[in-house]
Amino acid sequence: MIPVAAPQLGAEEQAAVAAVLAGGNLVQGPEVAAFEAEFCAEVVPGTRGIAVNSGTSALHVALLAAGIGTGDEVVVPSFTFAATANAVRLCGAVPVFADIDPVSFCLDPRAAAEAVTARTRAVVPVHLFGHPADLDAFEALAAEHDLRIVEDAAQAHGAHWRGRAVGAVGDASAFSFYPTKNMTSGEGGMVTTASPVIERTCRLLRNQGMEQRYRNEIVGLNYRMTDLHAAIGRVQLRRLAGFTAARRRTAERLGAAITARATPGVVVPTAAAGAEPVWHQYTVRLSDAGAEVRDAVLEGLGRRGVGAGVYYPVPVHRLPAHADLPASALRSDSLPHTDLAASQVLALPVHPAVTEADVEVIADALDAAVREVGGSA
Ligand SMILES: *Cc1c(COP(=O)(O)O)cnc(C)c1O
């Protein structure tokens, strides 16, 4: 079976963890400080990093530090992992869902603009599947309406938009180091920001509102990262460039192999002009198919030894968790590109361990699975 995700962990990560255990300094110590500095220098130059215990925590404190609170509206995509909208709600704010660009699958800046009201305080572009959102357009939108930008870069370590690193453009940005992401720390996350004020607020929020012990300045959380996790993250950071190069090589090969087979209805992902994606997922679309056909193709891939996945089968605004949102959370009656994507997408293995031979197996399996269900129509 070729798995859809495969965290690359080895002797170096093990040694790094063992060294922390031997040293005994377990939480928010020197490994965390070094990880913050190295991550920003390597991946998001011009920012400072605040390490936390998950990508969701990073989103939460980034939004809080950007001033998001009760009653505010925050424009988000619905075609994303639920954490994007959950973090907004945990601030007491209302996520307002806007549609995506059907090619990049990222939040469409024009749809986001249509969702802005007098209550809107921020927008959260998600760099979905490792493809950067159109950050120039979001900057223009934010300037026009005085909005904060909080980038959800959980899937996009090292992606660039027109030469700028994701995570360096917004007022604050959130990265995740969950095992399936482009690099991992086990669990973990990082806020990046160029603002000293947002940086300090994030540092307070992650540690009970304390800079000095028992001198709590604000109401905060315990979102601290451990040095065990940071030590893993530092090793993975050194390997990230290699991981990304491998993902890019595989994405290119998948595109060529799938195109060569002319599998009916399959649309391969492409990079928008100015985008340098890092291929967190390699998401094909089965055009003209509905969820039933797509799910049958997924099953056919599994039978042929290819572990594909569907990210994401249910748009966030349709999840039971968000059924209690006010009507204002959905400005338009429907999000047609979001609903269509949720029913047609299929992610093929693109992780760093996928070999050139695997690519042929994947493309053959996809071709056979699609033809088996009678084309994609
Ligand atoms: C993974 C992910 C998150 C949350 O990160 P965790 O580390 O799992 O909490 C948020 N947003 C997106 C788009 C993600 O893929």
Side-chain angles (χ1 to χ4, degrees):
M1 194 78 176
I2 304 169
V4 72
Q8 304 295 302
L9 297 163
E12 266 192 284
E13 284 84 356
Q14 289 182 22
V17 171
V20 173
L21 285 173
N25 198 340
L26 295 188
V27 179
Q28 209 168 281
E31 290 291 326
V32 169
F35 185 35
E36 291 174 337
E38 290 164 5
F39 183 78
C40 290
E42 184 73 27
V43 180
V44 202
T47 67
R48 303 255 295 160
I50 305 94
V52 290
N53 59 358
S54 77
T56 308
S57 302
L59 275 172
H60 189 197
V61 298
L63 287 160
L64 289 172
I68 304 308
T70 305
D72 293 340
E73 290 184 357
V74 178
V75 178
V76 299
S78 176
F79 191 59
T80 178
F81 184 51
T84 312
N86 291 350
V88 171
R89 296 202 66 183
L90 289 169
C91 297
V94 177
V96 174
F97 298 102
D99 213 351
I100 53 166
D101 176 289
V103 178
S104 73
F105 299 115
C106 293
L107 181 62
D108 177 353
R110 280 156 309 179
E114 284 167 21
V116 171
T117 72
R119 290 181 299 280
T120 309
R121 294 285 172 270
V123 59
V124 184
V126 180
H127 306 299
L128 199 70
F129 307 144
H131 188 291
D134 182 346
L135 287 169
D136 293 301
F138 286 109
E139 275 189 314
L141 180 69
E144 189 183 339
H145 298 283
D146 189 24
L147 309 178
R148 305 286 80 75
I149 297 174
V150 175
E151 296 177 59
D152 184 339
Q155 305 184 353
H157 320 68
H160 284 70
W161 175 256
R162 296 197 184 143
R164 291 194 289 174
V166 306
V169 175
D171 297 274
S173 304
F175 289 86
S176 165
F177 306 118
Y178 184 72
T180 59
K181 302 291 158 92
N182 290 41
M183 60 172 282
T184 185
S185 62
E187 289 272 18
M190 186 87 72
V191 180
T192 58
T193 181
S195 156
V197 175
I198 288 179
E199 180 195 349
R200 179 156 198 278
T201 306
C202 288
R203 290 196 191 287
L204 291 174
L205 285 168
R206 77 169 168 186
N207 189 28
Q208 313 285 6
M210 297 187 291
E211 186 173 287
Q212 287 175 274
R213 192 170 287 184
Y214 310 131
R215 294 282 185 274
N216 308 58
E217 299 172 40
I218 59 174
V219 176
L221 299 140
N222 173 5
Y223 279 175
R224 293 182 299 259
M225 178 181 273
T226 76
D227 275 38
L228 299 164
H229 293 89
I232 299 170
R234 291 182 71 196
V235 174
Q236 290 270 300
L237 184 60
R238 294 197 288 273
R239 303 176 65 188
L240 178 65
F243 292 160
T244 301
R247 285 176 182 272
R248 285 180 170 151
R249 211 158 44 234
T250 297
E252 201 171 308
R253 285 176 180 152
L254 280 168
I258 293 167
T259 305
R261 284 160 180 80
T263 309
V266 173
V267 179
V268 297
T270 52
E276 294 171 59
V278 291
W279 302 102
H280 173 62
Q281 300 291 357
Y282 187 87
T283 300
V284 301
R285 182 194 282 273
L286 306 186
S287 61
D288 309 323
E292 249 171 69
V293 167
R294 186 269 317 277
D295 293 345
V297 172
L298 181 71
E299 191 269 328
L301 282 166
R303 260 189 285 117
R304 292 170 174 84
V306 175
V310 174
Y311 312 102
Y312 296 89
V314 183
V316 176
H317 75 280
R318 298 191 182 284
L319 291 171
H322 297 288
D324 60 331
L325 276 171
S328 58
L330 207 59
R331 203 74 71 211
S332 56
D333 288 345
S334 64
L335 304 174
H337 294 308
T338 295
D339 282 326
L340 197 61
S343 69
Q344 295 186 332
V345 294
L346 196 58
L348 303 172
V350 73
H351 57 77
V354 174
T355 66
E356 198 167 356
D358 290 338
V359 168
E360 298 305 314
V361 172
I362 294 165
D364 279 338
L366 179 65
D367 190 61
V370 168
R371 291 180 195 280
E372 182 178 63
V373 301
S376 74

